[in-house]
Amino acid sequence: MPTTLTTPTTTIGAEMWRPLEDTDHEAAVSVVLKLRGETCDADCLYCFEKRKVAPGGAQIAPGHIRRLGQIFGGRPLAIELHGGDPLTVGKKAMPAILDELAAQPTVRRVHLQTNAVRLDSEWLDLFDAHYPGVHIGISLDGDEQGNSWRVGYDGNPIYPHIVNALNLLAERDRTCGIVTVVTPTVLGRAAEIIDHIASFEAVRAVHLIPAFDATVTTALPATGRRTSPSRRLQADAVGDDGAAWAITPMQYAEFTLDATAQWIGAGHFRRIKLDPAVATIRRLKGLDTSHCHFSAHKCSHVFTAYPDGRFGSCDELPWPQARLLPLTTARSEADVTEAQHANPLLTAGRQLMTKCTSCPYRTTCGGGCTATRWRMLKATGSDEAYCDHRARLIDGMAHLLAAPDHPDGAHCLRTRWRDGDPNVMDDADTFLARWDNPTAPRAPARLRISDHGNINAAGLPGQHEADDLDPHHPQWRDGIEDGVWPLLDTITRSWRAVTYDSCQGHIHKDTGLTPAIFRVGLLPRTRTEYAALAARLCHVLASANGYLPAAITADIARTELTSTLTDRRHPVLNLTLVPAPTSTWADYFNGLDQAVRTLTHITRHTPAVTGCACASRPPHPTREAQ
């Protein structure tokens, strides 16, 4: 819905990116410990760590860990042991690292991310003895075909090692998380990939990571006098058009939606957490998430420490640009925040978030990954493809949340999520029950009409409070504004759908109020009806394309209606007529009557359908300014 944004940019910035000093001291920071820099016993062709200037061979010592506690004081620390591969420190050196972590009172969580090549029973015994609560993460790109980019220096796949490690964890009653890099080898096979990963009993979480490496055009140099088989494979996979393992943002969004549909449909959600699905769903429900792509705790709350004492921001950011200061010179958190504010890369990241001020997805999206947006912007001059894929992900997840038994609707490109806050009804459940019961008692409604044609309880423009009416109410017709009645009557009578809100559109001349757009809100009774109505509305918009006045665009919004009595959130669909991007309010209202007549005619002649119209007439997927 087009509205005037009055939120100050500084507030939006804090909503998308909150500086470390502006968060409560109980808010945790994440510290990635690159135990041996980029040193690894595998040579995965897409490895981003080896594309950075990162020293190998040396290793982080317990003293580095102790230093972290001194810098951040009482602030909680979430530690990730990473690399390269952290197990390359060896079984003799790891106990001292784990013991130091266990001795630090502010360390609340330790996660170890490994390729699993070295993981065996002795390692698990070592973890049990020195840090029993360590969370284990394993990199697994689905099935054997999906893992084809994950090889040793000899060029041979490491997939068999990963399978052995996962089976060992199950035998030892240990659990793990999985990081899955989405590459072309898994596209079109999302259900198969999710089922395969879920077949390992030890798996409790899966995080889908996109291979957005279209800008990688140079292979890594040889590691010695002779080029290893793995580097020859990489050289063959990299060209002027980018890396063969790269995917587009929209391919990642579609894969993730298909994976989420299978995760739900197969019941894997009962045992396994899938991200970014869970993070997206939590934001759609108005809940917080620790996933930095969806929260304001971004790069200012994520740090990386290297063996040579370098200390910087998130390891997804490029080095040396992400460097903050030497770990040995940081005396307090204030030193760190001072270095953050002086870092041009972090400043550029914060500035990226100002673009989000006019985006209708900002509350749910949270701005996404700063590092990825920055790379795309630097390489192509635009991060629009990244932002569009985030919108596509949110739109599809909103459908899966509303109608999980009808996953095809998640790929509709015409029905988009819009934050409907505030969008409330006193008692939506009772309203739905009364709609289909002609004998239910109905109290007289307060109907007052403003000078601008608004019908509501107060008879004032800009007011939304109105008594809830249904077709069996004696004041039903009197409570519907004349301009919206033909379309609303068609939807309730021909489609037999429930409407919970409507507006004929009001210019509100000389009031100082923002004009109100034309809208009809539909409240589906069931998940199945939700999917059917969404599909039918998609066909209406497809048929209306090219027939509406140039100043007006039809839109379908997914949102939620909250029942104040129970706090239950009902998925709803809002059919609206909005001003086209280049039109004025005068153009909009001049063409509104014709647009309503056209839309009503099309709606009246659009039958019930089994799927949306996007498969046959796909629109160009773009984000629309609110």
Side-chain angles (χ1 to χ4, degrees), residues 452-455 477 479-489 502-506 517-520 577 588 592-600:
H452 302 267
N454 311 82
I455 301 178
R477 176 61 187 90
I480 308 299
E481 296 167 357
D482 289 344
V484 75
W485 169 256
L487 180 58
L488 186 142
D489 184 52
S502 65
C503 178
Q504 68 179 14
H506 305 281
I517 62 167
F518 179 97
R519 68 179 183 274
V520 176
L577 291 173
Y588 173 79
L592 188 56
D593 287 345
Q594 177 189 339
V596 173
R597 287 194 299 271
T598 300
L599 199 62
T600 301

Side-chain angles (χ1 to χ4, degrees), residues 48-398:
F48 74 91
E49 191 64 37
K50 292 177 181 178
R51 293 200 297 267
K52 297 191 294 187
V53 181
Q59 81 180 38
I60 284 179
H64 293 104
I65 298 168
R66 201 172 306 121
R67 188 72 175 165
L68 294 173
Q70 296 167 356
I71 293 170
F72 291 104
R75 188 183 286 274
L77 301 177
I79 302 295
E80 181 164 351
L81 306 180
H82 208 277
D85 193 273
L87 299 188
T88 59
V89 300
K91 294 170 184 173
K92 292 183 178 180
M94 184 66 83
I97 294 172
L98 296 178
D99 290 343
E100 186 61 45
L101 289 169
Q104 294 295 323
T106 58
V107 173
R108 304 293 173 82
R109 177 180 179 273
V110 175
H111 178 91
L112 182 143
Q113 186 66 35
T114 177
N115 59 32
V117 169
R118 300 186 179 212
L119 192 62
D120 58 19
S121 292
E122 290 183 2
W123 273 113
L124 297 181
D125 291 339
L126 188 152
F127 298 150
D128 289 341
H130 295 274
Y131 205 107
V134 65
H135 295 262
I136 297 174
I138 292 178
S139 301
L140 173 72
D141 300 343
D143 57 11
E144 185 171 8
Q145 180 184 346
N147 282 270
S148 58
W149 304 108
R150 302 185 57 77
V151 298
Y153 287 93
D154 58 4
N156 292 324
I158 63 170
Y159 176 76
H161 298 285
I162 305 172
V163 171
N164 291 338
L166 288 169
N167 291 334
L168 174 63
L169 289 174
E171 292 171 8
R172 295 282 296 262
D173 292 325
R174 296 288 295 256
T175 61
C176 69
I178 295 294
V179 170
T180 296
V181 179
V182 180
T183 68
T185 58
V186 300
L187 294 181
R189 303 192 300 122
E192 182 181 341
I193 294 301
I194 289 298
D195 285 347
H196 181 78
I197 295 173
S199 70
F200 296 100
E201 289 298 320
V203 175
R204 292 295 181 272
V206 178
H207 195 169
L208 303 176
I209 304 293
F212 291 158
D213 285 344
T215 58
V216 175
T217 57
T218 305
L220 291 171
T223 55
R225 286 179 295 178
R226 291 191 300 176
T227 302
S228 66
S230 59
R231 295 298 164 92
R232 289 197 295 270
L233 288 172
Q234 188 189 71
D236 291 340
V238 176
D240 293 339
D241 294 332
W245 61 79
I247 62 170
T248 68
M250 205 56 72
Q251 286 174 327
Y252 173 70
E254 297 299 336
F255 177 89
T256 301
L257 291 174
D258 285 339
T260 303
Q262 182 66 13
W263 173 68
I264 295 171
H268 299 318
F269 67 90
R270 297 184 178 91
R271 175 169 63 93
I272 296 171
K273 176 185 176 185
L274 177 66
D275 266 325
V278 170
T280 311
I281 290 169
R282 287 187 64 84
R283 296 305 301 134
L284 285 167
K285 301 298 288 184
L287 302 172
D288 290 332
T289 175
S290 60
H291 196 310
C292 61
H293 295 187
F294 293 84
S295 77
H297 291 184
K298 295 193 182 300
C299 305
S300 56
H301 287 71
V302 182
F303 301 93
T304 307
Y306 280 93
D308 64 348
R310 285 182 301 157
F311 189 66
S313 190
C314 173
D315 70 331
E316 290 281 348
L317 292 166
W319 287 80
Q321 296 96 319
R323 187 199 306 253
L324 293 176
L325 73 174
L327 190 62
T328 54
T329 65
R331 296 160 299 177
S332 67
E333 187 174 299
D335 291 337
V336 173
T337 56
E338 182 180 353
Q340 287 179 326
H341 288 292
N343 184 284
L345 184 60
L346 294 184
T347 299
R350 288 192 297 271
Q351 290 174 345
L352 274 176
M353 298 301 146
T354 61
K355 173 185 175 181
C356 302
T357 57
S358 61
C359 179
Y361 293 91
R362 65 182 182 276
T363 302
T364 306
C365 172
C369 175
T370 311
T372 305
R373 288 180 63 179
W374 183 86
R375 282 197 300 270
M376 288 191 174
L377 188 64
K378 186 174 183 292
T380 66
S382 173
D383 60 352
E384 282 298 307
Y386 180 81
C387 294
D388 286 342
H389 108 277
R390 295 279 291 180
R392 177 82 280 278
L393 192 65
I394 292 167
D395 293 340
M397 289 292 179

Side-chain angles (χ1 to χ4, degrees), residues 414 536-545 554-556 575 599:
R414 292 186 176 88
R536 202 170 186 180
L537 288 171
C538 178
H539 278 269
V540 169
L541 261 63
S543 299
N545 186 32
D555 187 29
I556 314 165
L575 177 60
L599 199 62

